[in-house]
């Protein structure tokens, strides 16, 4: 229910279709697999995990990684972080 309800609330308030979600915190084990998420709800077409990774063409749209830049990061900082993440693959 906590996966489905927030999207429904946003749809009701803003009158839009919510097709994406983002796991707020946690570990990879806290995220549903694409198959399990589809079983729970077909509502989401895109889901961002808690994994810090660079997405490739082969990345499932329901298991997208993310990197959260901070206001103190410069463009060089962001590039270095992304290069470090990609190098760790």
């Amino acid at each position: 229910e906590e996966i489905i309800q927030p999207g429904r609330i946003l749809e009701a308030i803003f009158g839009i279709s919510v097709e994406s979600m983002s796991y707020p915190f946690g570990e990879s084990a806290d995220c549903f697999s694409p198959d399990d998420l589809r079983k729970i709800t077909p509502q989401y077409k895109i889901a961002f995990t808690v994994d810090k990774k660079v997405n490739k063409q082969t990345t499932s749209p329901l298991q997208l990684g993310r990197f959260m830049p901070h206001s103190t990061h410069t463009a060089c900082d962001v590039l270095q972080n992304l290069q470090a993440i990609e190098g760790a693959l």
Side-chain angles (χ1 to χ4, degrees), residues 19-24 27-28 31-34 37-38 44-68 85 89:
E19 297 179 346
S20 62
M21 66 165 277
S22 181
Y23 294 95
E27 299 180 15
S28 297
C31 300
F32 290 105
S33 72
L37 184 57
R38 282 187 195 101
Y44 300 117
K45 309 293 185 257
I46 298 173
F48 293 91
T49 67
V50 295
D51 296 329
K52 190 185 283 190
K53 67 180 182 181
V54 175
N55 300 303
K56 308 286 185 185
Q57 284 186 319
T58 55
T59 304
S60 167
L62 295 176
Q63 286 187 318
L64 295 172
R66 65 183 180 197
F67 165 69
M68 297 185 338
I85 293 166
L89 298 177

